[in-house]
Amino acid sequence: MQEYLQRNETSCVALVEEYLSRSEKLSSLNAFVTVLAARARAQAQRVDAKITTGHVGKLAGCIIAVKDLLALKGERLTCGSRILENFISSYDATAITRLEQAGAIIIGKTNMDEFAMGSSNENSAFGPVKNPRNEAYVPGGSSGGSAVAVAAHMAMAALGSDTGGSVRQPAALTGVVGLKPTYGRVSRWGLVAFASSLDQVGVFANAVEDAARVLEVIAGVDERDSTSAPVAVPQYAQLLTGEIRGKVIGLPKEYLSSGVQPEILAAIARAKLLLEKGGATLKEVSLPHTQHAIAAYYVICTAEASSNLARYDGAHYGRRAQNVNSLEELYVKSRSEGFGPEVKRRIMLGTYVLSSGYYDAYYRRAMKVRTLIRRDFEQAFQQCDALLTPTTPTTAFKLGEKVSDPLTMYLSDIFTVSMNLAGVPAR
Ligand code: GLN
């Protein structure tokens, strides 16, 4: 890309027009909540001007879409919710600042499950997103719009957030690369919180190298996010040598059970062969507490969500109910009108598991399970360098197929939530 730009064979301004017209042509996929045409054009002009003076940022001319729960100054920040439908952000997220400083062009804000709660993108107040490979199918969620923007080439890369699989699962269901970095690797300043002990900004791209280049730019400590890790950022892209000789790859036996769709098992078998051919050794390992991961995740994430979402009360942020006679009525009506059914379900569940008398039985117990899950990974990584697992138990499912059965929907996260509970990176 950058060679074309430097050789003057194209310009950022021309690229932006091309991508804008492509997203207009593919608008039936419903990947974007807001297309940032003016912001993208202005940034393209700035980057073109810099290229003529020889100052090329690491991501100069890279067209990037971002999930609509990252803040961009002066732009709408909906989180896929009616409650924030008209909310305008007053500042930029750190990840956005870093992307734009590196010359990237933010093309739009992508559709998502409301407040990042969902696995199919059917929980958005702005309608479902469709899978570009077959529009009758879901793209996964909650960062479905970001996955589709990349899969349908409406952006070269995209940012999403991953609390329990929301980058990896939609990436798997649309056939692109999705990376959830280590907890603390990327600043969450300007990322709307869902479950703060699990949330992490992640990257979508069509190639591993592109994801590495984006991560290089957005990663690193940030004084505005005390949970960001003060750890030096490697040149990830340069480290992608393809060399795996001598590496030990663990296959967790709990992830390859009979519940997994045969196509997925076949893909794992192919990956195994490729790794062996490259000189790696494969070894069976065990993550024995895997079976409790979904239960622990849905206690912890709902507990944290019930607290994080308390701020949307009609007084401080977003939608404010009309014709109310008391403060309590303002809270109740604003929240009842503003939140969709899945968000309400999680707030109720989270409030319940934290309530007096139930805290020990649910929340505290889930936190103990979380410790055991983290320990499983620590022990596995004493025997191997990396793990090979399926991302999802099934390939993409049909729109409407699981909406009336939240438990079945939650099970599509069965192979992703453990990594968030443990804080480890995954793709
Ligand atoms: N699908 C999971 C959930 O509904 C994960 C969401 C996420 O990672 N944001 O909670």
Side-chain angles (χ1 to χ4, degrees):
M1 168 54 48
Q2 286 171 336
E3 293 107 64
Y4 292 113
L5 289 168
Q6 270 168 328
R7 276 192 260 122
N8 248 335
E9 284 170 23
T10 187
S11 66
C12 294
V13 168
L15 270 177
V16 163
E17 293 312 321
E18 211 172 291
Y19 276 82
L20 286 174
S21 73
R22 186 158 172 84
S23 58
E24 206 180 305
K25 227 172 23 210
L26 297 176
S27 61
S28 69
L29 297 173
N30 205 20
F32 288 98
V33 174
T34 310
V35 173
L36 301 172
R39 187 175 177 126
R41 287 182 175 127
Q43 169 76 345
Q45 277 173 2
R46 273 193 297 272
V47 180
D48 277 338
K50 279 205 176 145
I51 290 171
T52 55
T53 63
H55 295 292
V56 187
K58 264 189 176 175
L59 295 177
C62 219
I63 310 279
I64 296 189
V66 299
K67 188 176 186 177
D68 203 12
L69 86 174
L70 279 153
L72 269 77
K73 188 176 176 177
E75 308 292 353
R76 222 149 64 107
L77 174 58
T78 71
C79 297
S81 182
R82 288 271 167 244
I83 213 161
L84 290 177
E85 195 171 1
N86 300 309
F87 180 77
I88 305 290
S89 173
S90 55
Y91 64 93
D92 281 332
T94 297
I96 302 296
T97 306
R98 289 181 178 172
L99 285 178
E100 289 188 334
Q101 276 170 356
I105 298 163
I106 313 293
I107 196 88
K109 306 204 70 188
T110 56
N111 203 345
M112 56 182 281
D113 283 305
E114 187 175 5
F115 283 102
M117 299 175 188
S119 312
S120 68
N121 228 296
E122 293 164 293
N123 295 337
S124 168
F126 305 101
V129 179
K130 296 182 181 148
N131 194 317
R133 294 175 199 273
N134 183 334
E135 293 194 22
Y137 285 75
V138 304
S142 65
S143 317
S146 288
V148 169
V150 170
H153 301 284
M154 295 186 275
M156 298 174 191
L159 296 189
S161 67
D162 192 311
T163 305
S166 277
V167 167
R168 290 160 288 155
Q169 188 256 17
L173 267 44
T174 55
V176 300
V177 175
L179 174 72
K180 179 200 97 73
T182 309
Y183 185 78
R185 183 77 284 197
V186 179
S187 166
R188 299 181 299 175
W189 172 256
L191 174 80
V192 176
F194 161 13
S196 311
S197 76
L198 303 160
D199 296 342
Q200 184 55 206
V201 175
V203 185
F204 293 92
N206 277 303
V208 171
E209 193 188 339
D210 293 348
R213 277 153 36 97
V214 172
L215 183 62
E216 233 167 82
V217 167
I218 62 173
V221 69
D222 174 15
E223 61 177 16
R224 288 177 158 143
D225 175 0
S226 62
T227 64
S228 64
V231 178
V233 180
Q235 302 288 301
Y236 294 114
Q238 273 178 27
L239 295 172
L240 295 171
T241 57
E243 183 55 64
I244 51 162
R245 236 173 310 165
K247 298 280 183 222
V248 181
I249 313 290
L251 285 163
K253 61 176 184 215
E254 294 79 4
Y255 283 62
L256 300 166
S257 62
S258 51
V260 183
Q261 194 178 311
E263 288 92 327
I264 307 258
L265 290 175
I268 294 283
R270 282 198 300 277
K272 253 168 78 177
L273 275 180
L274 282 174
L275 290 167
E276 274 166 353
K277 243 168 105 184
T281 313
L282 285 122
K283 178 179 180 173
E284 185 180 279
V285 295
S286 175
L287 299 170
H289 297 93
T290 299
Q291 54 171 322
H292 304 301
I294 285 278
Y297 170 79
Y298 277 95
V299 170
I300 293 167
C301 84
T302 56
E304 293 184 19
S306 71
S307 161
N308 275 328
L309 271 61
R311 72 191 71 178
Y312 307 103
D313 56 9
H316 295 93
Y317 294 95
R319 189 187 184 98
R320 191 185 186 108
Q322 300 301 305
N323 307 320
V324 292
N325 298 312
S326 67
L327 185 61
E328 190 179 345
E329 207 188 333
L330 173 74
Y331 293 164
V332 172
K333 267 185 108 176
S334 302
R335 288 167 72 82
S336 302
E337 293 168 5
F339 290 136
E342 181 60 27
V343 173
K344 286 179 185 162
R345 180 181 298 122
R346 304 233 187 161
I347 291 172
M348 285 191 280
L349 202 60
T351 308
Y352 177 75
V353 300
L354 288 176
S355 60
S356 143
Y358 294 101
Y359 181 94
D360 286 336
Y362 296 108
Y363 185 73
R364 192 188 300 277
R365 187 173 290 181
M367 289 302 280
K368 287 183 182 163
V369 173
R370 181 178 193 169
T371 303
L372 296 174
I373 289 175
R374 191 179 301 134
R375 222 173 273 159
D376 281 356
F377 280 93
E378 282 163 10
Q379 278 162 5
F381 287 131
Q382 278 171 11
Q383 305 167 51
C384 60
D385 299 295
L387 297 170
L388 173 65
T389 74
T391 304
T392 53
T394 68
T395 51
F397 44 93
K398 283 205 165 130
L399 281 156
E401 195 179 314
K402 296 188 182 175
V403 267
S404 55
D405 186 355
L407 272 185
T408 317
M409 189 73 93
Y410 294 174
L411 284 176
S412 49
D413 304 321
I414 194 157
F415 298 139
T416 49
V417 296
S418 297
M419 290 70 174
N420 300 76
L421 292 167
V424 299
R427 63 154 285 222

